[in-house]
């Protein structure tokens, strides 16, 4: 639990992450994800509640815990006064690691982050995706047991995101424990073994992506659009179609195990959507079901 | 990735306990190493200014202005009188450079302090490391300044070299308080420029730097008494040419400056803990 004055940013978040697991906190902006991450990262002190990281209490063993963590914050805080490789060297020293070991790891990590050519470059000359990869490389300089990633790909273009996911997936394969926050469904589905859906500082649901989808959504979703002003009017006439329906300003979502069949029923009823799409259920739908809101508003 | 240190399997907890040991002891030094690396990028400026400024001031004031100064300064030339003061204010200049914008940078503009606080380093160690690094840089500047004073033949006493610690103490006394103040700023909307204009500059003028404080009416002398620069200047004069003042006053200079260092340092540490632990 974390309070800022009267405002409880985090209140009632409880979870356990096993070694080697990849665990996600999924929720919209302001849900309390970053605050939770800073508490797990032994940086932000909690107002109340119990927290154990690597078997230790962050209040008493901050430096010890942090020595085994790699932290990728939401906004890059690379040192722009130093060159790319220097950022890794300096950061490695903070852990008390010997200079030679840090230098060796810095070179390995530059390769891992596909930045070998950029070692001597200025940080500001890097693209957003490169900066992100450098931040991840920096977080790995101490060979951490747990990697904390706060919205690792927010603000990156699709290609940069895929490169990053690939790198993170490799880490996962090597047995690094990943704890990440995201408001991207596809990211959570790609990277998380298990996740919690967080909203307004509390946990709404917990499970594997597939479990959550099974529990809170149907197999398929039919999206139909009748035009912004007609959607809600048409929705009234669709009652009884599908297992459940969500009416959004721009479209209607019909939840069903067979989206095509529902579409046929709609057209049979004499309604002709401007566009229609049948897709598989995603975590976005789970979130919508749990909170009544979309994740990215 | 191999970690190359130990191959025997250890529990994560044991690994963590071991991993915290060195940073707990040496963390402040690691921060200082970071600052040195950053300072390296402006070594040129430090050295050129470190030699150029004393040269200009000693020559312009100690040699030039001295020709029209015709007062009794306790039996020494104006050059000898002004040199320790210039050295002391050089330390203040370093403090006002290093404890303003780099601190804003670390907390906000390029939040390297946030990055450090995610590593095993503790907020208090970040503050300590900055203090250490600035003390080192200040010492370099003071050594250069002292060497030039010697070249000008402006330090007659055999213990004149004690001007260096005197200047350092003054610089850090002002600097520590300044660091505390800068740490409280969430944003710089001109406060730092105001500090330069309305604190540093008047302090230089009203601290008995260019003329004895006793020249002022008593109503203005208090500015000197609270000014760390006045205390370090007087202290430096005692060492430089045996400036005659009661011994208790010399003790007051040292005690006052040490107290300011302690207060400012503790303040900056406190703010760091609060600000980085949010």
């Amino acid at each position: 639990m974390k309070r800022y004055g009267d405002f409880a940013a985090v209140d009632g978040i409880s979870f356990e992450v096993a070694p080697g697991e990849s665990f996600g906190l999924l929720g919209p902006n302001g849900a309390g994800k970053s605050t939770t991450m800073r508490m797990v990262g032994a940086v932000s002190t909690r107002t109340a509640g119990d927290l154990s990281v690597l078997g230790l209490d962050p209040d008493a063993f901050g430096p010890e815990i942090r020595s085994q963590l790699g932290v990728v914050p939401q906004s890059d805080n690379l040192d722009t006064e130093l060159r790319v490789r220097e950022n890794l060297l300096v950061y490695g020293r903070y852990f008390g690691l010997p200079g030679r070991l840090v230098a060796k790891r810095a070179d390995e990590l530059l390769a891992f982050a596909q930045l070998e050519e950029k070692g001597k470059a200025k940080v500001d000359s890097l693209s957003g995706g490169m900066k992100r990869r450098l931040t991840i490389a920096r977080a790995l300089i101490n060979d951490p047991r747990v990697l904390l990633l706060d919205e690792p790909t927010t603000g990156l273009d699709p290609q940069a995101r895929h490169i990053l996911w690939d790198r993170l997936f490799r880490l996962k394969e090597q047995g690094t424990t990943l704890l990440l926050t995201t408001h991207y469904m596809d990211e959570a589905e790609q990277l998380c073994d298990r996740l919690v859906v967080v909203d307004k500082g509390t946990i709404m649901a917990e499970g594997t992506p597939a479990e959550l989808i099974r529990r809170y959504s149907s197999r398929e979703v039919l999206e139909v659009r009748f035009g912004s002003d007609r959607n809600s009017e048409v929705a009234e006439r669709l009652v009884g179609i599908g297992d459940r329906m969500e009416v959004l300003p721009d479209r209607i979502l019909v939840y069903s195990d067979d989206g095509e069949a529902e579409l046929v029923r709609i057209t049979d009823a004499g309604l002709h959507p401007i566009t229609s799409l049948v897709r598989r259920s995603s975590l976005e739908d789970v979130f919508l079901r749990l909170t009544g809101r979309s994740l990215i508003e | 990735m191999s970690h190359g240190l130990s191959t025997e399997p250890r529990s994560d907890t044991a690994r963590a306990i071991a991993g915290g040991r060195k940073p707990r002891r040496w963390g402040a030094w690691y921060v200082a190493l970071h600052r040195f690396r950053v300072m390296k990028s402006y070594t040129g400026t430090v050295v050129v200014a470190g030699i150029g400024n004393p040269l200009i001031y000693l020559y312009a004031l100690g040699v030039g202005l001295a020709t029209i100064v015709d007062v009794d300064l306790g039996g020494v030339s104006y050059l000898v009188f002004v040199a320790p003061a210039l050295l002391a204010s050089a330390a203040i200049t370093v403090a006002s450079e290093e404890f303003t914008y780099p601190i804003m940078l670390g907390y906000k503009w390029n939040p390297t302090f946030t990055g450090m606080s995610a590593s095993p380093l503790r907020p208090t160690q970040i503050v300590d490391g900055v203090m250490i690094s600035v003390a080192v840089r200040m010492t370099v500047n003071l050594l250069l300044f002292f060497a030039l004073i010697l070249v000008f033949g402006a330090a007659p006493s055999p213990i004149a070299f004690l001007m260096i610690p005197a200047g350092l103490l003054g610089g850090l006394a002002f600097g520590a308080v300044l660091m505390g103040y800068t740490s409280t700023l969430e944003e710089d909307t001109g406060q730092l420029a105001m500090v330069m204009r309305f604190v540093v500059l008047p302090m230089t003028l009203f601290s008995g730097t260019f003329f004895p404080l006793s020249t002022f009416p008593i109503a203005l002398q208090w500015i000197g008494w609270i000014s760390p620069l006045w205390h370090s200047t007087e202290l430096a004069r005692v060492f430089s040419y045996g400036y005659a003042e009661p011994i208790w006053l010399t003790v007051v200079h040292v005690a006052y400056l040490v107290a300011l260092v302690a207060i400012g340092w503790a303040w900056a540490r406190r703010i760091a803990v609060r600000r980085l632990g949010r």
Side-chain angles (χ1 to χ4, degrees):
Chain A
M1 154 131 201
K2 178 79 182 181
R3 258 179 197 292
Y4 297 101
D6 284 340
F7 171 66
V10 173
D11 185 4
I13 288 191
S14 170
F15 58 85
E16 264 179 57
V17 184
E21 192 180 21
S22 174
F23 189 86
L25 294 164
L26 178 76
N29 293 331
K33 305 188 300 284
S34 297
T35 308
T36 304
M37 290 296 259
R38 283 208 309 280
M39 289 194 282
V40 175
V43 170
S44 183
T45 46
R46 60 200 188 276
T47 320
D50 295 317
L51 177 60
S52 165
V53 184
L54 301 168
L56 296 168
D57 178 352
D59 285 351
F61 294 96
E64 284 74 16
I65 292 170
R66 294 195 297 271
S67 77
Q68 304 304 318
L69 301 181
V71 179
V72 179
Q74 197 167 355
S75 52
D76 295 321
N77 55 20
L78 295 163
D79 197 326
T80 54
E81 293 175 297
L82 302 176
R83 307 272 162 165
V84 167
R85 188 165 176 273
E86 280 185 308
N87 260 278
L88 301 180
L89 299 180
V90 164
Y91 210 80
R93 295 293 290 154
Y94 296 163
F95 292 83
L97 302 170
R100 238 174 338 133
L101 176 67
V102 172
K104 180 171 152 275
R105 277 194 198 157
D107 293 329
E108 289 169 0
L109 287 168
L110 283 178
F112 172 79
Q114 294 168 290
L115 291 169
E116 300 107 311
E117 313 290 311
K118 297 284 182 184
K120 288 203 166 68
K122 287 189 171 168
V123 169
D124 276 334
S125 73
L126 301 183
S127 71
M130 288 176 179
K131 279 185 187 163
R132 217 63 194 135
R133 295 205 302 271
L134 179 59
T135 304
I136 291 176
R138 190 184 70 173
L140 294 171
I141 196 77
N142 58 326
D143 191 15
R145 309 302 295 155
V146 183
L147 189 59
L148 305 179
L149 300 138
D150 198 357
E151 309 216 349
T153 65
T154 297
L156 299 186
D157 62 54
Q159 197 203 354
R161 295 179 73 201
H162 280 284
I163 296 177
L164 213 63
W165 284 345
D166 169 63
R167 301 289 113 170
L168 293 176
F169 205 80
R170 286 180 199 211
L171 289 173
K172 188 161 130 52
E173 283 177 335
Q174 288 167 13
T176 309
T177 306
L178 300 184
L179 178 59
L180 69 123
T181 75
T182 181
H183 58 236
Y184 294 124
M185 304 302 114
D186 45 355
E187 187 158 283
E189 284 168 10
Q190 288 255 353
L191 294 175
C192 300
D193 300 329
R194 202 159 56 88
L195 56 93
V196 288
V197 179
V198 185
D199 190 32
K200 294 183 182 129
T202 53
I203 290 181
M204 311 290 292
E206 177 172 355
T208 66
E211 270 170 20
L212 288 172
I213 290 168
R214 212 177 314 125
R215 202 177 325 148
Y216 296 101
S217 193
S218 52
R219 203 170 67 91
E220 289 187 341
V221 185
L222 167 64
E223 293 194 5
V224 283
R225 292 167 199 261
F226 292 92
S228 318
D229 17 309
R230 286 193 63 216
N231 282 335
S232 54
E233 176 199 327
V234 172
E236 286 167 28
R237 297 171 57 189
L238 294 181
V239 174
I241 292 182
D243 306 336
R244 200 166 57 81
M245 203 168 21
E246 289 283 352
V247 185
L248 302 180
D250 62 330
R251 66 212 142 115
I252 300 171
L253 306 181
V254 178
Y255 293 93
S256 166
D257 283 338
D258 186 350
E260 290 293 345
E262 305 299 340
L263 183 59
V264 170
R265 290 178 63 192
I266 291 174
T267 44
D268 284 353
L271 294 165
H272 298 282
I274 303 167
T275 63
S276 63
L277 162 78
V278 175
R279 60 169 175 81
R280 298 188 48 152
S281 250
S282 75
L283 287 171
E284 175 86 46
D285 301 297
V286 172
F287 189 79
L288 195 61
R289 171 77 184 274
L290 288 169
T291 67
R293 290 181 295 129
S294 316
L295 262 156
I296 303 165
E297 287 167 326
Chain B
M1 203 160 307
S2 67
H3 41 85
L5 284 172
S6 157
T7 46
E8 71 185 279
R10 280 187 293 176
S11 83
D12 289 347
T13 310
R15 240 184 93 140
I17 297 290
R21 212 162 284 148
K22 283 180 85 177
R24 262 191 197 273
R25 181 168 308 166
W26 299 106
W29 178 243
Y30 300 150
V31 175
L33 288 177
H34 164 259
R35 298 302 311 160
F36 292 143
R37 202 179 262 272
V38 172
M39 283 176 191
K40 227 160 76 181
S41 63
Y42 56 85
T43 321
T45 327
V46 171
V47 173
V48 170
I51 296 172
N53 278 342
L55 263 182
I56 292 168
Y57 280 104
L58 286 170
Y59 193 78
L61 299 173
V63 181
L65 186 66
T67 57
I68 56 162
V69 174
D70 184 24
V71 286
D72 179 27
L73 293 162
V76 294
S77 70
Y78 187 66
L79 175 64
V80 170
F81 170 80
V82 84
L86 293 175
L87 173 136
S89 50
I92 299 288
T93 307
V94 171
S96 58
E97 283 167 15
E98 294 287 348
F99 288 114
T100 49
Y101 295 101
I103 304 297
M104 280 308 283
L105 206 67
Y107 276 116
K108 177 139 184 143
W109 296 332
N110 175 202
T112 47
F113 294 170
T114 313
M116 289 175 184
S117 70
S119 82
L121 303 176
R122 283 170 294 161
T124 50
Q125 292 176 320
I126 298 174
V127 171
D128 298 353
V130 172
M131 283 295 275
I132 293 169
S133 66
V134 178
V136 170
R137 190 211 142 165
M138 209 179 263
T139 306
V140 169
N141 277 78
L142 288 168
L143 280 168
L144 289 171
F145 210 120
F146 181 67
L148 285 157
I149 289 179
L150 291 182
V151 170
F152 276 77
S157 163
I159 55 160
F161 66 91
L162 288 175
M163 269 196 271
I164 295 167
L168 182 66
L169 192 55
L172 292 182
F174 175 67
V177 175
L178 184 57
M179 184 181 188
Y181 172 71
T182 313
S183 306
T184 64
L185 298 180
E186 296 288 339
E187 231 169 317
D188 175 36
T189 49
Q191 292 98 324
L192 294 180
M194 300 275 272
V195 167
M196 298 293 177
R197 212 162 296 162
F198 297 110
V199 179
V200 177
L201 186 65
M203 185 166 71
T204 314
L205 294 175
F206 289 80
S207 295
T209 315
F210 306 112
F211 37 84
L213 192 62
S214 55
T215 322
F216 283 123
I218 197 86
L220 283 178
Q221 288 190 15
W222 64 269
I223 302 179
W225 299 334
I226 60 165
S227 155
L229 179 55
W230 179 69
H231 290 279
S232 62
T233 296
E234 296 291 279
L235 202 53
R237 282 185 176 133
V238 170
F239 297 134
S240 167
Y241 62 89
Y243 167 66
E245 66 171 19
I247 187 84
W248 66 264
L249 191 53
T250 308
V251 173
V252 166
H253 296 322
V254 175
Y256 181 72
L257 294 175
V258 168
L260 280 190
V261 171
I263 292 167
W265 198 328
W267 185 24
R269 278 172 142 227
R270 210 180 133 94
I271 303 285
V273 169
R274 204 182 305 156
R275 203 166 167 175
L276 295 170
R278 268 197 287 237

